[in-house]
Amino acid sequence: MTPKSAAQSVLSSAHKLPLHAASRKPPVSAVSARARQRDHSGPPKVGLKGISLSYQTNDGKRLLALDNINLRVSPGEFLCIVGPSGCGKSTLLHLIAGLHAATAGEVTIDGHAVQGTGTDRIMIFQELGLFPWLTVAENVEFGLKMKGVPAGEREERIQHYLRLVHLAQFKNSYTHQLSGGMRQRVALARALAAEPDVLLMDEPFAALDAQTRDLLHDELERIWAETGRTIIFVTHNVREAVRLGDRVALLSFRPGHVKREFEIDLPRPRHLEDVSVAKTAREILEELREEINKSLEEQYGHEAVV
């Protein structure tokens, strides 16, 4: 069997495998429609109320990084966050993850205040954080061991989530033997295996080539539909945000605040080349450019943006 036919066989068989009971969700179009008709009467899955963050710089001054951010993210929603460099997008994810505490305001999950890290929220970084001395399966298993999940259940979850990301065939491989896109899928499988309610993704595809990134857009959208997870996705790529999100939140230049929210009322599946995606992205980019110019003015002076 050639490598190409083997890959086709893996993809075909993966689609035929039964899903874990907790992962049987409506198709993408149904999930998207449900997300667009959010119920604001109950508590959001993730709530940000009056979030501000300041810190002391090396010269002793106080820098206001985030200012009075208010956001509600509904269960099962795919929210994308865009903004100029240095506006606090990644910092906001850290606050939701419980890695840092806000100076003011409150982060809530299902109406309960976030007091620190928790397995109900998993963050995927650009660097991935995979252990090169462990196999693919052992990387996925690592967090489950830390949680004290019994061995039998660990094996079941490993098998299930590696199938979900189409990597079951590579469970005994080491990460250095995988492509960049495959390593990204290992990180995704490891996060999903912990079965969090919320996935926090910090520019996970930024370092990938365009072809691999496009494939992973499709994979992530499929997995989101099948698992029903709430996803908060930070990106510098506005088209990527429109391609993936139910909603896009645009942060201003420092101090970061929510300048505007865009409902992405486009049918799924979407593609980066779609005219509707490009048109919506252009609208967001026009407002984003104002914030980028502010950042350039601060860094280089007025001449940089004339």
Side-chain angles (χ1 to χ4, degrees):
M1 182 179 291
T2 66
K4 182 176 180 180
S5 62
Q8 291 172 337
S9 175
V10 170
L11 293 177
S12 176
S13 60
H15 281 295
K16 295 175 183 177
L17 288 167
L19 291 173
H20 191 281
S23 300
R24 292 195 182 102
K25 298 292 177 181
V28 171
S29 57
V31 175
S32 180
R34 181 183 63 194
R36 286 197 295 269
Q37 300 170 359
R38 291 183 294 275
D39 180 8
H40 293 286
S41 60
K45 172 58 72 174
V46 180
L48 304 174
K49 304 174 184 177
I51 293 294
S52 295
L53 178 70
S54 64
Y55 57 89
Q56 188 169 321
T57 62
N58 292 335
D59 58 7
K61 297 179 180 178
R62 297 295 298 183
L63 179 67
L64 184 61
L66 297 172
D67 184 26
N68 194 33
I69 288 184
N70 295 279
L71 275 173
R72 295 169 57 97
V73 186
S74 297
E77 183 178 5
F78 200 132
L79 173 70
C80 291
I81 300 176
V82 299
S85 295
C87 72
K89 301 184 296 297
S90 297
T91 301
L92 196 58
L93 288 190
H94 291 179
L95 296 179
I96 298 170
L99 296 172
H100 302 299
T103 306
E106 184 179 55
V107 179
T108 61
I109 302 293
D110 291 324
H112 303 289
V114 169
Q115 302 294 341
T117 58
T119 55
D120 57 345
R121 290 150 285 137
I122 296 291
M123 189 159 177
I124 300 179
F125 300 91
Q126 287 187 48
E127 296 83 7
L128 303 182
L130 300 175
F131 302 119
W133 59 88
L134 298 180
T135 66
V136 166
E138 289 167 342
N139 267 282
V140 175
E141 184 185 31
F142 183 82
L144 303 179
K145 275 188 174 181
M146 296 299 99
K147 289 177 63 177
V149 176
E153 185 179 346
R154 291 202 307 265
E155 182 60 28
E156 180 183 345
R157 289 201 203 179
I158 291 167
Q159 293 288 348
H160 169 67
Y161 287 106
L162 286 180
R163 287 169 180 165
L164 193 64
V165 299
H166 299 156
L167 287 177
Q169 180 176 322
F170 300 93
K171 63 177 293 186
N172 295 319
S173 300
Y174 289 91
T175 55
H176 72 271
Q177 298 172 315
L178 307 179
S179 69
M182 294 169 79
R183 288 195 293 271
Q184 186 65 60
R185 283 188 277 158
V186 175
L188 183 56
R190 182 176 63 180
L192 291 170
E195 300 192 340
D197 292 334
V198 181
L199 272 179
L200 306 170
M201 308 185 73
D202 188 8
E203 298 192 70
F205 306 146
L208 300 176
D209 63 87
Q211 182 179 0
T212 302
R213 187 171 61 244
D214 290 349
L215 290 173
L216 286 176
H217 286 163
D218 295 340
E219 286 292 290
L220 180 59
E221 185 175 52
R222 176 184 61 82
I223 290 167
W224 166 68
E226 293 179 0
T227 63
R229 300 289 187 263
T230 302
I231 297 180
I232 303 178
F233 187 103
V234 162
T235 178
H236 276 95
N237 189 324
V238 175
R239 276 209 193 188
E240 180 176 62
V242 175
R243 158 71 180 85
L244 292 171
D246 289 317
R247 184 164 48 117
V248 176
L250 170 62
L251 296 192
S252 68
F253 178 58
R254 190 172 54 243
H257 65 270
V258 180
K259 180 178 182 179
R260 185 175 169 188
E261 297 177 41
F262 298 82
E263 294 284 343
I264 310 301
D265 191 17
L266 300 175
R268 294 184 185 269
R270 305 169 192 155
H271 302 283
L272 291 176
E273 300 80 11
D274 291 347
V275 173
S276 57
V277 169
K279 183 177 179 181
T280 304
R282 191 180 307 117
E283 178 186 356
I284 299 173
L285 191 57
E286 286 176 0
E287 296 210 23
L288 174 58
R289 281 201 182 101
E290 295 178 9
E291 304 306 315
I292 294 173
N293 287 344
K294 291 176 185 177
S295 69
L296 292 175
E297 283 180 12
E298 178 175 286
Q299 186 170 2
Y300 300 110
H302 180 70
E303 291 184 359
V305 293
V306 171

